[in-house]
Amino acid sequence: MVTISISEKRNPIPQQISIGKGATLTTWGAIKINQSHFFPSSFQLKTDDFVLYIDPVAIETTEKADFILITHAHPDHFSIKDIKQLLKKDTHIICTVTVFKKLKNITDKIQVMKPNEQLNFETLNINTVFAYNTKPVFLWLKAHPKSKQNVGYILTLKNGVRIYHAGDTDYIPEIKKLNKIEVTLVPIGGEKLTMDGEAAAKIVNEIQPKIAIPMHYEIHNNKELSRFKNLVNKKIKVVELGK
């Protein structure tokens, strides 16, 4: 049984970064997964046009969502409680089919997406990309098998800024096709659940964004975080929001 709560080690001040004119990324910081203090993949993207959340879990805000995007159904990414808290009448939820099965009675504004699909709104374009494991956790079993059709997201704002949220994935061939990304959010936790810091740095160096943000790691794991930061090309700004 996995229990999720707000970590007592969470910074009481939400961490935020500007990613272009009129656009900010915000995180509410560490959560506690059983006994592990963990920086999750949960973010708010706010622009002059909309408020969007990706994988909201244990967030602390009353600001309602125009869009909620869920990468997959694991409890450190998918929280019905948080989704209900953020919902308003016209909130659009974009998710995978496994998430849809758990949400279909909450709202009728749900768009199911598979990898390699696109959804266009007036002020936002949403593209899905593959997110899966190549290495098994035990025997042949993978935490995020390709067959589940979990996704990462590429968000293109009205001003042309493109943001890549990788979801839970290993270093996979499909990521090599990504281009013109300004902000990349990548998991670095490793342990056969996602890529580790070395693989994440390799992806970042291939994509060459202006900003790279590590996510999905235990906050005491300074070794992995340092390895990621040291391996990323010095021309790319690494922003640590999990402080």
Side-chain angles (χ1 to χ4, degrees):
M1 180 67 178
V2 176
T3 60
I4 306 287
S5 59
I6 294 173
S7 169
E8 57 268 29
K9 296 185 179 183
R10 170 178 285 189
N11 189 330
I13 302 172
Q15 299 299 293
Q16 191 174 84
I17 179 175
S18 172
I19 55 169
K21 185 177 180 181
T24 56
L25 268 176
T26 300
T27 172
W28 281 266
I31 62 175
K32 196 171 183 180
I33 304 177
N34 295 336
Q35 297 303 311
S36 173
H37 299 277
F38 191 79
F39 181 60
S41 304
S42 300
F43 295 89
Q44 180 203 68
L45 170 62
K46 186 175 182 179
T47 76
D48 294 335
D49 301 303
F50 59 79
V51 177
L52 178 151
Y53 295 86
I54 304 178
D55 290 353
V57 174
I59 62 172
E60 296 180 285
T61 181
T62 58
E63 193 165 21
K64 301 297 183 181
D66 296 300
F67 300 95
I68 299 174
L69 279 56
I70 310 296
T71 61
H72 64 292
H74 286 171
D76 56 323
H77 297 260
F78 171 55
S79 164
I80 291 179
K81 177 182 176 182
D82 285 270
I83 290 171
K84 286 181 175 179
Q85 174 186 326
L86 297 171
L87 273 181
K88 58 182 181 179
K89 187 176 180 180
D90 58 350
T91 300
H92 294 274
I93 297 179
I94 291 92
C95 64
T96 61
V97 65
T98 53
V99 172
F100 170 73
K101 291 175 181 178
K102 300 180 181 183
L103 279 180
K104 59 185 178 180
N105 296 324
I106 292 179
T107 176
D108 60 357
K109 288 187 177 294
I110 302 178
Q111 177 72 45
V112 175
M113 296 187 75
K114 299 176 182 178
N116 278 349
E117 293 187 338
Q118 182 171 329
L119 195 59
N120 297 326
F121 296 90
E122 184 177 351
T123 58
L124 174 69
N125 291 343
I126 300 171
N127 290 78
T128 52
V129 297
F130 280 93
Y132 60 88
N133 289 135
T134 58
K135 301 179 288 292
V137 175
F138 178 72
L139 297 177
W140 64 90
L141 298 175
K142 297 173 183 174
H144 309 94
K146 190 174 184 179
S147 61
K148 286 289 187 181
Q149 297 189 313
N150 298 338
V151 298
Y153 290 101
I154 297 175
L155 309 177
T156 305
L157 308 186
K158 186 171 65 175
N159 61 7
V161 171
R162 283 163 58 84
I163 304 152
Y164 169 49
H165 185 292
D168 277 6
T169 187
D170 283 332
Y171 179 91
I172 55 176
E174 293 87 350
I175 294 177
K176 296 179 182 180
K177 300 176 183 178
L178 303 185
N179 57 67
K180 297 181 180 179
I181 304 292
E182 277 81 11
V183 181
T184 299
L185 300 102
V186 285
I188 66 168
E191 296 184 355
K192 298 181 180 179
L193 299 174
T194 70
M195 66 187 93
D196 59 16
E198 182 177 355
K202 183 178 180 182
I203 285 176
V204 167
N205 290 337
E206 289 179 354
I207 296 174
Q208 296 184 27
K210 295 178 181 177
I211 298 170
I213 300 172
M215 62 183 185
H216 202 276
Y217 60 91
E218 293 192 19
I219 62 174
H220 76 272
N221 194 351
N222 294 320
K223 181 179 179 181
E224 203 63 50
L225 184 59
S226 296
R227 180 160 67 149
F228 172 75
K229 293 163 68 175
N230 290 334
L231 290 173
V232 169
N233 189 304
K234 301 309 177 187
K235 294 180 180 180
I236 299 169
K237 182 180 181 180
V238 175
V239 178
E240 183 186 346
L241 294 178
K243 298 177 180 179

